[in-house]
Amino acid sequence: MMRYFLLISFFLMIACGNSSDNSNPNKQESTSSNDTKRIIYFGDSLTAGYGLLDFEDAWPHILTKRIKAEGYSYQMTNAGVSGDTTSGGLGRLEWVLAEKPTVFVLELGANDMLRGISPSVTKENLRAMIRQVKSQYPSTKILLVGMYATPNMGKKYAKEFNSIYPDLSKEEDVPLVPFILEKVASIRKLNQKDGIHPTEVGHKLVADTVYPYLKPLLVK
């Protein structure tokens, strides 16, 4: 119970900060082959690697290096923007999709929750993004990354918010990472001095959380 309530402090500043160098969606690996497959990680400060000295220590980069080491040929785009909401994500999705993803990892919604945005709005924004990816690139694999509401939002709100991701996973037939912060939330040594965003070690554990769900979507 105490660990659950400590989640409040962890989330309080996910929305903080403007996009910075380590949250620049243009920071990506180039490819010299038109046949090289691409993963787009589309999210907020957690994806961007907010507060890290090197943006390549963020979990999307760790994951991509890991799968490359296993023999998969994938480049990546870190399209994480600190403070982004699902409405903001929907607004910038079109130009991000110009990268023509083979796999699209969708991690958004925490900032909606922190702002008290109606879960129904968050859900429909996420649904619209999923369907836009499917419409433009029917063969693209989509991975939805889940989030939990903090208890200070109240039981009713939390119940509605927490159902967004599992419901969408079933309704849109996309795999789901239940809770991206499962291994790091509220554990001080795994978070930066602000007690909120994962450290380099924390990001490695986030990568470990996402990996089992991402790997089945990959092809060699």
Side-chain angles (χ1 to χ4, degrees), residues 67-87:
I67 63 178
K68 279 186 176 182
E70 294 181 357
Y72 294 93
S73 179
Y74 283 86
Q75 302 294 329
M76 62 89 73
T77 297
N78 186 338
V81 173
S82 296
D84 206 11
T85 62
T86 57
S87 293

Side-chain angles (χ1 to χ4, degrees), residues 11-32:
F11 280 105
L12 285 179
M13 289 182 64
I14 287 179
C16 76
N18 296 319
S19 0
S20 57
D21 286 344
N22 65 2
S23 62
N24 186 344
N26 292 321
K27 287 194 182 272
Q28 59 196 41
E29 299 176 15
S30 61
T31 173
S32 58

